[in-house]
């Protein structure tokens, strides 16, 4: 595959997409889309895709029930940024899970405790945790990046009265 070098900015009237191509089958997979507007996630369980969600800000609503957001299989370079978009502290939880227990989180989030005046870190175990539960959030900004075909790197902050929790599915 040839490389192209540009000496100035690359401009697009729509978006830019990063893809990966399977060297055996030629199958193209979209990894990340840059330049699109934020995606307002629905108040319900959502299965994410790289083509629609990677590289974009994902606005999470004040839920009417606990909502689960399922990531696609990790691809190196895919990126999902979850931002709480509610107008008040949520009475329900947001869970962000990988496709299964063979895909897990590495890293952690900063917990900003609104009723105990504490700041602490909450970490995944780096070897089996495939779920993070954001408990009754007042706010959060969590980024999850595909490190390879197994692991997701996670970082960000969660503001709540209850600490977020990593777990196995």
């Amino acid at each position: 595959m040839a490389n192209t070098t540009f000496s100035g900015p690359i401009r697009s009237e729509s978006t830019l997409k990063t893809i990966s191509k399977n060297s055996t089958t030629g199958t193209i997979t979209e990894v990340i889309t840059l330049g699109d507007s934020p995606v307002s996630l629905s108040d319900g369980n959502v299965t994410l895709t790289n083509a629609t969600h990677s590289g974009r800000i994902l606005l999470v609503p004040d839920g009417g029930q606990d909502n689960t957001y399922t990531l696609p299989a990790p691809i190196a370079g895919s990126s999902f940024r979850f931002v709480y978009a509610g107008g008040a502290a949520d009475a329900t939880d947001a869970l962000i899970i990988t496709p299964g227990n063979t895909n897990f989180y590495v890293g952690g989030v900063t917990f900003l405790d609104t009723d105990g005046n504490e700041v602490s870190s909450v970490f995944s175990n780096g070897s089996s945790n495939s779920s993070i539960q954001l408990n009754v959030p007042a706010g959060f900004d969590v980024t999850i990046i595909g490190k390879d075909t197994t692991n997701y790197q996670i970082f960000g902050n969660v503001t709540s009265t209850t600490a977020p929790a990593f777990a196995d599915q």
Side-chain angles (χ1 to χ4, degrees):
M1 182 166 152
N3 291 326
T4 303
T5 303
F6 297 91
S7 61
I10 298 172
R11 294 173 36 156
S12 171
E13 291 184 5
S14 179
T15 61
L16 297 173
K17 294 182 183 282
T18 300
I19 62 164
S20 67
K21 182 177 178 182
N22 183 301
S23 60
T24 305
T25 64
T27 302
I28 292 177
T29 303
E30 290 184 16
V31 177
I32 192 167
T33 300
L34 302 172
D36 273 347
S37 60
V39 175
S40 294
L41 298 175
S42 63
D43 183 10
N45 297 336
V46 179
T47 299
L48 306 175
T49 66
N50 284 306
T52 301
H53 303 98
S54 180
R56 299 172 71 185
I57 296 172
L58 307 175
L59 301 175
V60 178
D62 182 347
Q65 68 282 318
D66 292 353
N67 292 320
T68 300
Y69 304 101
T70 305
L71 297 165
I75 298 174
S78 61
S79 173
F80 303 88
R81 182 176 175 199
F82 295 86
V83 176
Y84 180 63
D90 200 341
T92 63
D93 304 340
L95 291 92
I96 307 168
I97 65 172
T98 69
N101 272 333
T102 58
N103 306 116
F104 49 87
Y105 293 121
V106 175
V109 295
T110 301
F111 170 52
L112 308 167
D113 185 358
T114 59
D115 65 353
N117 299 321
E118 295 181 34
V119 175
S120 61
S121 297
V122 179
F123 292 100
S124 69
N125 67 6
S127 62
S128 67
N129 290 160
S130 56
S131 172
I132 183 169
Q133 184 164 344
L134 309 177
N135 296 298
V136 293
F140 57 79
D141 187 342
V142 175
T143 300
I144 300 170
I145 298 173
K147 288 181 66 174
D148 50 39
T149 58
T150 304
N151 304 318
Y152 277 110
Q153 183 72 46
I154 186 168
F155 55 90
N157 62 70
V158 178
T159 303
S160 178
T161 58
T162 306
F166 285 96
D168 298 352
Q169 289 182 51

